[in-house]
Amino acid sequence: MNNTVDMNNPVMSVFLIISFLSLLPAVLVMFTSFTRIVVVLGFLRQAIGGQQIPPNPVIIGLSLFLTLFIMGPTVDVITKESVNPYMDKQINMGEALKRAENPVKTFMLKQTREKDIALFLKLSKEPVPAKPADLPLKVVVPAFAISELKTAFEIGFLIFIPFLIIDMVVASILLSMGMMMLPPVMISLPFKLLLFVLVDGWNLVIGSIVRSFN
């Protein structure tokens, strides 16, 4: 009895495609630049103190389009080496997935710290491969995720500093004037917005995020 799965079976192909679409949100978060971008933009909103300004849909939408921009070269390679040959029936689904893995893994390894890879290699008790490209995805993906979070927190810290200084100055002035009942955030918010506009903050923040992937 043959228990092998025919990857060329149309039913199996449809099943795999539906399964991939159901996992697409997890793939977007764990395999791309989305995590770093959305965390940094969340820190920016917290630093400004606008609470829901910009709103969540704007942050998510901007993060998605920036992710598409940053992942563009990787997507082009996947399309050329995996998707197009599969659509032309030159390779089967299994080979297409195998070819698509390499460009994604290359992108993730470029952004992942060796310390994080060593951690998950140790936890998984996997042997150290001869070259990074041979690392299994079960090691690369979590290592990439925590590396992205660390980088996002570092960028977030740098974003917080100027806004924190404004908060401290405003709080000191209000305290010296005896206006202790007036929330400092209410007074500091316009000054934060003015500073952000004067230094062209969106250009600086988005440019820094994109350049951090180079």
Side-chain angles (χ1 to χ4, degrees):
M1 182 177 179
N2 188 2
N3 292 323
T4 60
V5 178
D6 183 8
M7 302 298 291
N8 292 318
N9 189 321
V11 176
M12 181 57 62
S13 298
V14 171
F15 171 76
L16 291 174
I17 292 173
I18 294 176
S19 300
F20 173 77
L21 291 177
S22 65
L23 294 173
L24 193 57
V27 171
L28 176 67
V29 172
M30 300 302 294
F31 288 74
T32 69
S33 58
F34 180 82
T35 297
R36 185 189 304 186
I37 298 169
V38 76
V39 171
V40 170
L41 293 181
F43 273 126
L44 174 62
R45 182 170 66 182
Q46 285 289 110
I48 293 176
Q51 296 183 1
Q52 294 302 316
I53 303 297
N56 285 332
V58 174
I59 289 181
I60 298 298
L62 181 57
S63 300
L64 285 172
F65 278 99
L66 286 176
T67 299
L68 291 175
F69 178 80
I70 293 169
M71 298 299 297
T74 303
V75 172
D76 290 341
V77 174
I78 294 174
T79 302
K80 181 180 178 181
E81 297 183 359
S82 176
V83 176
N84 288 342
Y86 175 73
M87 297 299 293
D88 294 337
K89 301 186 184 302
Q90 298 175 1
I91 58 175
N92 57 28
M93 177 69 75
E95 180 64 22
L97 293 175
K98 185 177 180 180
R99 290 189 182 186
E101 178 182 323
N102 291 330
V104 175
K105 189 185 293 184
T106 300
F107 169 81
M108 290 193 292
L109 288 173
K110 189 177 179 181
Q111 311 300 327
T112 306
R113 300 183 302 164
E114 293 183 2
K115 183 178 179 180
D116 296 327
I117 293 176
L119 169 65
F120 285 99
L121 271 176
K122 182 178 179 180
L123 293 176
S124 64
K125 298 180 181 179
E126 290 278 346
V128 180
K131 53 184 179 179
D134 295 332
L135 287 165
L137 279 178
K138 70 177 183 179
V139 170
V140 176
V141 173
F144 170 73
I146 64 174
S147 293
E148 287 293 279
L149 288 173
K150 180 180 185 298
T151 305
F153 275 54
E154 290 174 346
I155 298 175
F157 171 76
L158 296 176
I159 289 175
F160 254 98
I161 291 177
F163 296 112
L164 181 61
I165 293 174
I166 293 177
D167 280 333
M168 294 174 64
V169 170
V170 171
S172 299
I173 293 174
L174 292 179
L175 185 62
S176 64
M177 295 175 63
M179 304 174 65
M180 294 176 289
M181 301 302 293
L182 184 64
V185 176
M186 184 180 301
I187 305 300
S188 64
L189 179 58
F191 292 100
K192 290 179 182 179
L193 294 176
L194 179 62
L195 172 66
F196 196 70
V197 171
L198 289 177
V199 301
D200 198 4
W202 285 113
N203 185 289
L204 291 175
V205 172
I206 299 304
S208 299
I209 293 175
V210 174
R211 282 191 292 269
S212 69
F213 287 95
N214 296 331

